[in-house]
Amino acid sequence: MADGTDVMADFSTLPDVVWVRILQYLLLRDRQEVASTCHLLHDAFNHPSLWRRQVLTFIGDKDNSSRKGIPVYPARHNMELTKQFGQYFQDLTIRVISHFRTMNSDLRELLVQVAENCRLESLTLDIGKQTSQFHKRYGFPPDPNAIATLETFVKTAFRMKHLAIMSWPMFKDKNESLFMALKSNEKLRDNLESMTLFWLDGAEWSEREPLLLSADDTVDLVRHFPYLTCLGLRSPMVNNGLLEMLAETSRAKLRTLKLVIHYLWQKRNFAVPQIEQKSWTALLNRNPDFRVEVTVFLATPTMELASMLTPEAPVSYFRFMKYSKLESSSLVKIYTQYSGTLTTFHSLCDSYEMDSELILLCEKCELLTDLIYHGEIYVNTVKCISKSRGRKWKRFELKDSSIKIHTEFDNIDNDLVLQRNEQDHTFQLSACLIRELAYGAGGRKLEPHTRHALT
């Protein structure tokens, strides 16, 4: 102020919608503490829109090897708030960490009450560790009453448009009860637009050999939802029959098919399915804007990828996860076959000597605006790629520790330890060892070093 006095800003005049937006960024316990400071913030804390999106997290049992499991338990304040505001939930995630065994009667009653009173539009179920054949053979299944409680959210839903099943206890031999409940809800049939089953959303690792729905059971399930426009599955759940059914004119036009390539060598249940060219062509003819998003979970040979992803597949998104493997032939296949559709390329795994392929990827895929690469790359390649799009890059992410500079030893065979001098018949340490002694981290040159001759 002109007279030098300080005036405190009066935030009480801000509209409620602003306070609600601010509270959305706080953790649940922090929200409670802030709401206790004044009537204004208490009213914002009780605003229904603040509770539209919620995540209920429970701690499960450490394993499923004992007959009597430990019940899942939530934080006490979560129970109280769920009881008070559960009716406002519209976008709900239920997550159980570790193994899901059972739950006490009070929690079951509360969840059933929430399921029957809320108006869910989106539901994500991440229920415990994914079931493997080992868990099924040597462990014990969850309490049927606890399973039935979670199924209530599916049975009573009447507005749900989006469903994501990240993990679910798969202990029954045929037609898991959850999927039976999905097919029995006629209201879901008319409303469900997006469904992902056993998806990997941001996870670095998953069960190596999880129990999944078979391809035939997946076809039977998806057939019950004719208005799906987005579908996410793992590759063992896909066959030509599924794609042909998705292309039928009686169904809504499929906009996005998200695939996790889950391949295991010499494991029949995890072989990459062979998809015919006509199956992709039928989906494109049905909807020219149809796109495929691919995530590679484990190391998968290029030939295996080619058996499923023919040139007709309109791939717009390609992601290699941390424990997969990026081959130069795979990169060539991507920019050769999908140059007209690819917009996103992420490689989170270790990879080497891909500089020329990356430059060609950016040159040929003109729609590419989202690039993440965590493999080794030379600084000159980084400059070339960054200039190829300039400000058109929506995301351009590299791993600092993987950026290298050119040195005089780049073309030396790393497998060569000793080399012979033909003039004086002496042996010398190869340059690959000298490079380790002469250059530090990031290629920075250290003190001069001379080779040691061995006579």
Side-chain angles (χ1 to χ4, degrees), residues 61 63-64 66-70 99-102 140-143:
D61 204 343
D63 56 46
N64 71 329
S66 60
R67 184 176 296 274
K68 185 178 181 181
I70 298 176
H99 289 270
F100 177 61
R101 300 299 307 279
T102 185
F140 293 91
D143 176 18

Side-chain angles (χ1 to χ4, degrees), residues 104-245:
N104 59 47
S105 58
D106 291 341
L107 180 57
R108 289 204 305 268
E109 291 176 4
L110 174 60
L111 291 180
V112 169
Q113 180 182 353
V114 171
E116 292 176 347
N117 294 327
C118 69
R119 298 184 176 184
L120 284 184
E121 295 182 359
S122 177
L123 175 65
T124 300
L125 295 174
D126 190 1
I127 309 302
K129 188 174 182 179
Q130 284 190 318
T131 310
S132 68
Q133 194 64 46
F134 177 85
H135 298 134
K136 183 176 180 180
R137 182 176 300 173
Y138 300 105
F140 293 91
D143 176 18
N145 292 327
I147 289 290
T149 299
L150 296 179
E151 290 172 355
T152 307
F153 286 93
V154 170
K155 292 179 179 178
T156 59
F158 62 93
R159 296 179 56 182
M160 191 185 302
K161 295 182 179 180
H162 309 283
L163 174 65
I165 300 175
M166 315 298 289
S167 177
W168 183 261
M170 299 284 288
F171 283 87
K172 292 191 176 182
D173 294 331
K174 185 77 171 177
N175 289 333
E176 276 291 315
S177 55
L178 172 69
F179 304 108
M180 292 294 290
L182 279 171
K183 292 188 288 186
S184 64
N185 189 336
E186 290 297 324
K187 293 179 180 178
L188 274 183
R189 180 184 184 277
D190 298 330
N191 292 325
L192 200 62
E193 299 176 0
S194 171
M195 180 169 65
T196 55
L197 303 177
F198 306 106
W199 190 248
L200 297 174
D201 188 9
E204 290 186 353
W205 184 250
S206 167
E207 183 66 37
R208 183 177 172 84
E209 298 184 46
L211 295 177
L212 306 170
L213 285 179
S214 68
D216 291 338
D217 288 340
T218 303
V219 172
D220 182 60
L221 175 65
V222 174
R223 192 183 301 276
H224 282 76
F225 305 104
Y227 299 104
L228 287 176
T229 58
C230 179
L231 179 63
L233 302 168
R234 296 206 189 191
S235 56
M237 305 165 66
V238 178
N239 60 16
N240 283 290
L242 175 69
L243 269 61
E244 292 172 2
M245 183 262 291

